[in-house]
Amino acid sequence: MSQHRPAGTPGRAGGVPALPDLPEATVARLPEYLRALHNLAETGDDTVSSEELATAAGVNSAKLRKDLSQLGSYGTRGVGYDVALLIDQIEFVLGLTQRRAVALVGVGNLGHALAGYAGFASRGFRIAALFDADPAQVGEEINGLVVQHIDDLPRVAAEESIAIGVIATPATAAQSVADQLVAAGVTSILNFAPCVLAVPDGVDVRKVDLAIELQILSFHEHRKSALTGLPAGAVASGPAASGAGTALTAPATGLTALPGGLAATGTTEATPAGPLRPSNAEAIGS
Amino acid sequence: MSQHRPAGTPGRAGGVPALPDLPEATVARLPEYLRALHNLAETGDDTVSSEELATAAGVNSAKLRKDLSQLGSYGTRGVGYDVALLIDQIEFVLGLTQRRAVALVGVGNLGHALAGYAGFASRGFRIAALFDADPAQVGEEINGLVVQHIDDLPRVAAEESIAIGVIATPATAAQSVADQLVAAGVTSILNFAPCVLAVPDGVDVRKVDLAIELQILSFHEHRKSALTGLPAGAVASGPAASGAGTALTAPATGLTALPGGLAATGTTEATPAGPLRPSNAEAIGS
DNA sequence: AGGTGTGAACCTTTTCACAGCT
DNA sequence: AGCTGTGAAAAGGTTCACACCT
């Protein structure tokens, strides 16, 4: 969201004891803690220390404790956190106490897979309807749901109280679909199409772009091979010429040969490859 | 990666003119710029201003300029950026001048969709091999590729120079698959399984968890309805009891009713819903 | 002893605002 | 006149280290 905060009204205001504004970074990690907690609960653990839970969630314990303290969370000093209690807390904060209805638009390749993804159901969501613009797809049954025409969206969205939409259409269709979702009352969108969506204020959009993830990895690959391959100068290949004008100086300017400092720009907390390997019954796929 | 930077060696060291350490936040945005640039190139634009490109990529222009300046990029004051040149620059930095070979493990529901995803091919990657542990799947042909048994990974990875692996297996199998990928020489992993992977130093992991994305949206939904629904006190529903001990005080403690300040914690730059709707020929799905 | 909660230091990222080039 | 490149300020996030509770 853009929404430059009105600059006043930070923490508490009236007499409400609320701790409102969870940092966005914390919000993004809570689901990971939740998953780890469910694993622990399955294996019968009653309490867990910040250290254990942190490892299971792939973060460090300081971060975890700070995150949980934001919830005003109830750990016990000297003991740890009550697993069941913490699950309830996080589920409450994330709004998962109700099973939320989701509309999925676009039942192509990826849409099909998403429609059949068991992880949504097991983690708080119910795919309530499938839509497509292609009449050839309409009527098909996937995983017990019949694909409906996108024009039926407003009616179905109202009937099913759908507030979250998933876009799995080609990029060309995505903006139009987003407009229709918003018109139908959807206020949160998960977008798998590789394009930027314009939406009104108050509507949240998250984007997942599969190719972008790979491109980020590619950067790190490039970086690593620049390090190991050629310790100093001598770049192997410049950019593949694609018809640009001026000579491509910048690549030659550097960026390829790194001096000394080793990459700190990484992506994951590379845990020490050992003990903990939380199993999880949830399957992606068939 | 963890890798606490050795604390010395920041920018340049020897005589190399390099500008090594791109900020990770910048790296994560470069692919988005690249996509936007390709759209512009298709529509015949030769140059683009930071303002235009920023809008097309869903960021603000200050951020874009800072990002591009990190590349030592060649914009022209008073004019803008040369589209073709910038494409080359970014592709070079991201290591996309070679088409990188990717191994995909797990051809279930999601794996199938990924194997058929055209966006990988069009954006710098070649799915070089498909693997599965299930003998029933082995031999199946998907999109022109025959599914091989995971045990063949080392051989194939060497033959095809595979450095990037994608995991689309159930969570239970993911760690073992990751180990096998690493053993086969893979140094970057994109993980779709809902679990944390332990990998050695020097291996990058990125994770995409579909349910987590929805849960983050759910939080914002929860937040919005807390705002509109009940301006002051009176929470409608506490957490669904799930067998915890102590009374669930914290939820009652607040978090539900927000005082004044409007949400700034959002997810997207909510662009003003208007002009620009970059079309893009890339399709997710069939 | 063991482990949470948290102020304070530190680092990264974003935003501002403007000098300086074309 | 227009637009990039960039220092400096502000905001946001992470890590440290320890007081304090059980």
Side-chain angles (χ1 to χ4, degrees), chain A residues 1 24 206 213 265 268 284, chain B residues 1 24 192 213 265 268:
Chain A
M1 292 215 249
E24 189 58 27
R206 291 189 66 86
E213 297 301 323
T265 63
T268 346
I284 291 184
Chain B
M1 295 209 255
E24 190 57 28
F192 285 91
E213 297 300 323
T265 64
T268 348

Side-chain angles (χ1 to χ4, degrees), chain A residues 30 35 38 41 47 66 70 99 107 135 163 172 174 184 186 234 271 282 285:
Chain A
L30 289 179
R35 191 191 47 68
H38 274 128
T47 63
K66 187 136 270 179
Q70 308 266 15
R99 181 161 299 268
V107 292
T172 40
V186 164
T271 24
E282 232 150 86

Side-chain angles (χ1 to χ4, degrees), chain B residues 114-243:
Chain B
L114 295 175
Y117 181 40
F120 290 148
S122 70
R123 287 160 83 188
F125 302 92
R126 182 172 64 87
I127 300 206
L130 307 177
F131 297 96
D132 206 297
D134 179 1
Q137 305 275 4
V138 173
E140 191 193 351
E141 185 178 319
I142 302 173
N143 219 28
L145 275 179
V146 175
V147 177
Q148 303 181 269
H149 192 272
I150 183 84
D151 290 345
D152 292 331
L153 205 157
R155 182 179 50 77
V156 178
E159 282 172 14
E160 302 268 7
S161 310
I162 292 174
I164 301 180
V166 176
I167 299 180
T169 66
T172 41
Q175 180 63 55
S176 150
V177 168
D179 294 343
Q180 291 174 81
L181 284 169
V182 170
V186 163
T187 46
S188 289
I189 295 177
L190 179 54
N191 179 29
F192 285 91
C195 64
V196 173
L197 295 181
V199 295
D201 262 32
V203 175
D204 285 292
V205 178
R206 292 189 65 87
K207 186 185 168 187
V208 175
D209 188 320
L210 279 9
I212 284 184
E213 297 300 323
L214 285 187
Q215 290 179 338
I216 295 171
L217 287 174
S218 173
F219 167 83
H220 292 294
E221 281 301 314
H222 184 53
R223 207 132 177 306
K224 285 180 227 168
S225 58
L227 252 77
T228 55
L230 325 165
V235 176
S237 70
S242 92

Side-chain angles (χ1 to χ4, degrees), chain A residues 171-197:
Chain A
T172 40
Q175 180 63 55
S176 151
V177 168
D179 294 343
Q180 291 172 81
L181 284 169
V182 170
V186 164
T187 46
S188 289
I189 296 176
L190 179 53
N191 179 29
F192 285 90
C195 65
V196 173
L197 295 180

Side-chain angles (χ1 to χ4, degrees), chain A residues 137-186:
Chain A
Q137 305 275 4
V138 174
E140 191 194 350
E141 186 178 317
I142 303 173
N143 219 27
L145 275 179
V146 175
V147 178
Q148 304 181 269
H149 192 273
I150 182 86
D151 290 345
D152 292 331
L153 204 157
R155 180 179 51 77
V156 178
E159 283 172 13
E160 302 268 7
S161 310
I162 291 173
I164 300 180
V166 176
I167 299 180
T169 66
T172 40
Q175 180 63 55
S176 151
V177 168
D179 294 343
Q180 291 172 81
L181 284 169
V182 170
V186 164

Side-chain angles (χ1 to χ4, degrees), chain A residues 214-233 235 254-267, chain B residues 1-3 5-6 8-12 18-28 30 70-71 90-98 100 163-164 187-188 202-204:
Chain A
L214 286 188
Q215 291 179 338
I216 295 171
L217 287 175
S218 172
F219 168 82
H220 291 295
E221 281 301 314
H222 184 53
R223 208 130 174 309
K224 285 180 226 167
S225 59
L227 251 78
T228 55
L230 326 165
V235 175
L255 223 317
T256 317
L258 293 222
L262 236 255
T265 63
T267 316
Chain B
M1 295 209 255
S2 46
Q3 198 90 332
R5 171 124 24 130
T9 44
R12 51 185 59 203
L19 58 126
D21 256 344
L22 282 260
E24 190 57 28
T26 296
V27 172
L30 288 179
Q70 310 264 15
L71 315 183
I90 296 180
E91 291 192 340
F92 175 76
V93 169
L94 293 179
L96 299 176
T97 53
Q98 48 180 300
R100 291 184 184 270
I164 301 180
T187 46
S188 289
V203 175
D204 285 292

